[in-house]
C-alpha cells in the first residue's frame, strides 16, 4: 500500500461541475502540497497546507490532520482545469512522498 | 522573475553514454531535488541536497550522480549504469523551512535510442 493514496485516479466531468479530489496518507507529516501538472509536464504548486483550509480563486484545499486526509475542490470547473493533480506530503526533514496523481478532464 | 530552469527540455542519448541535465534556480533556495517520473507512476526521488557541497541519495539513486558546488545549481548526470534511463526528469527546490513552498522546473525528457 502506498503511503499516499489519491482518489479517483481518473475523473471526467462537464464544464461547470464541482470537482473533488481526495488524498489519504498513512504517515506523520509536517505539511501537504497540492500540485498541478499540465500535459507539457511542468508542475505548479497550488497549495501548501498544515491545517485547516485554503482558498485561491476557484480552488479550495482542506486538510484533516487527525483523519490524515485532504481534499482539493474546484468550483465551476473549466476545460483549462484539465490536468493531473498530485498530492505530496512532507515527511520529516525535506522528504516528500507523492501520490500517483488524479487525471482530471473537463469537457466543454 | 524567480524560478527554476531546466535544460535541455528534450534529450536523446545512445546506450552507453552519460548525459547531464541542468537545473538552475534563482530563488535563493537551500534545498534542491531531482525526481524521475514514469508513465502512470508518481514522482520518485533520485537525489536531494539541503546545502551546498552536500547531497543525499533518494529512493532510486543507482545509475545517477549529482553535484552541488553552487547554491543555484544542482546538475544530474544519468550514467551508462542506469539500466532504464528513458523517463521525464523534474528538478525542484524549497526554501530553508522543511515545509517551504515547492517550485518545479519544466522538466527534461530523456530518451535512450
Amino acid at each position: 500500500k502506498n503511503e499516499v493514496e489519491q482518489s479517483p485516479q481518473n475523473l471526467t466531468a462537464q464544464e461547470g461541475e464541482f470537482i473533488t479530489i481526495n488524498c489519504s496518507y498513512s504517515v506523520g507529516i509536517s505539511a501537504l502540497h497540492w500540485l498541478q501538472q499540465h500535459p507539457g509536464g511542468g508542475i505548479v504548486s497550488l497549495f501548501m497546507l498544515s491545517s485547516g483550509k485554503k482558498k485561491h480563486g476557484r480552488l479550495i484545499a482542506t486538510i484533516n490532520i487527525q483523519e490524515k486526509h485532504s481534499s482539493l475542490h474546484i468550483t465551476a470547473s473549466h476545460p483549462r482545469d484539465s490536468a493531473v493533480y498530485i498530492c505530496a506530503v512532507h515527511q520529516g526533514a525535506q522528504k516528500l512522498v507523492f501520490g500517483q496523481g488524479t487525471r482530471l478532464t473537463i469537457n466543454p | 522573475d524567480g524560478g527554476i530552469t531546466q535544460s535541455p527540455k528534450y534529450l536523446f542519448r545512445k546506450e552507453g553514454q552519460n548525459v547531464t541535465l541542468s537545473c538552475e534556480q534563482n530563488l535563493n533556495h537551500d534545498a534542491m531535488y531531482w525526481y524521475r517520473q514514469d508513465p502512470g507512476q508518481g514522482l520518485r526521488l533520485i537525489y536531494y541536497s539541503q546545502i551546498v557541497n552536500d547531497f543525499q541519495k533518494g529512493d532510486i539513486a543507482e545509475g545517477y550522480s549529482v553535484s552541488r558546488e553552487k547554491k543555484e545549481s544542482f546538475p544530474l548526470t544519468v550514467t551508462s549504469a542506469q539500466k532504464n534511463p528513458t523517463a521525464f526528469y523534474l528538478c525542484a527546490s524549497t526554501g530553508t523551512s522543511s515545509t517551504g513552498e515547492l517550485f518545479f522546473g519544466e522538466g527534461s525528457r530523456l530518451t535512450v535510442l
Side-chain angles (χ1 to χ4, degrees):
Chain A
K1 182 170 164 56
N2 294 331
E3 293 174 307
V4 179
E5 294 276 355
Q6 287 185 235
S7 63
Q9 285 190 309
N10 293 283
L11 178 57
T12 299
Q14 291 300 120
E15 183 173 356
E17 287 189 34
F18 181 81
I19 303 298
T20 296
I21 299 171
N22 296 299
C23 175
S24 296
Y25 51 92
S26 57
V27 295
I29 70 168
S30 51
L32 181 144
H33 298 264
W34 279 104
L35 310 168
Q36 181 189 55
Q37 184 172 32
H38 277 282
I43 293 179
V44 174
S45 175
L46 298 174
F47 295 103
M48 183 180 67
L49 294 162
S50 54
S51 65
K53 176 179 173 179
K54 286 191 176 180
K55 184 176 189 292
H56 185 255
R58 295 180 294 105
L59 301 177
I60 303 166
T62 63
I63 188 168
N64 185 318
I65 297 294
Q66 287 73 30
E67 294 187 4
K68 296 187 175 179
H69 181 269
S70 175
S71 293
L72 176 68
H73 305 285
I74 305 175
T75 62
S77 59
H78 190 276
R80 65 174 175 266
D81 296 327
S82 298
V84 175
Y85 292 84
I86 301 170
C87 171
V89 299
H90 265 291
Q91 184 190 352
Q94 306 291 359
K95 183 177 179 183
L96 283 161
V97 182
F98 292 82
Q100 292 188 320
T102 294
R103 184 173 299 278
L104 174 65
T105 303
I106 303 296
N107 294 318
Chain B
D1 288 337
I4 299 179
T5 302
Q6 282 187 243
S7 63
K9 194 171 174 77
Y10 298 95
L11 184 62
F12 297 89
R13 183 194 100 174
K14 293 181 180 178
E15 282 193 28
Q17 286 182 335
N18 292 354
V19 293
T20 297
L21 308 180
S22 169
C23 178
E24 303 277 332
Q25 54 99 357
N26 60 3
L27 299 162
N28 200 34
H29 283 173
D30 288 312
M32 297 186 74
Y33 311 80
W34 273 106
Y35 294 97
R36 170 179 171 141
Q37 187 177 40
D38 294 284
Q41 296 191 33
L43 278 72
R44 292 183 291 168
L45 181 65
I46 304 172
Y47 268 98
Y48 67 100
S49 168
Q50 296 186 56
I51 196 168
V52 175
N53 292 322
D54 186 55
F55 48 82
Q56 283 79 43
K57 292 182 179 180
D59 300 318
I60 55 165
E62 185 176 351
Y64 300 98
S65 66
V66 293
S67 63
R68 188 83 187 276
E69 296 176 3
K70 299 186 300 181
K71 189 175 186 177
E72 303 80 20
S73 180
F74 191 41
L76 173 74
T77 297
V78 185
T79 75
S80 56
Q82 169 50 236
K83 298 304 177 191
N84 186 21
T86 295
F88 187 62
Y89 293 89
L90 282 155
C91 179
S93 72
T94 62
T96 53
S97 166
S98 64
T99 59
E101 186 176 356
L102 270 172
F103 288 82
F104 283 86
E106 289 295 306
S108 295
R109 191 167 300 278
L110 172 64
T111 302
V112 173
L113 304 173

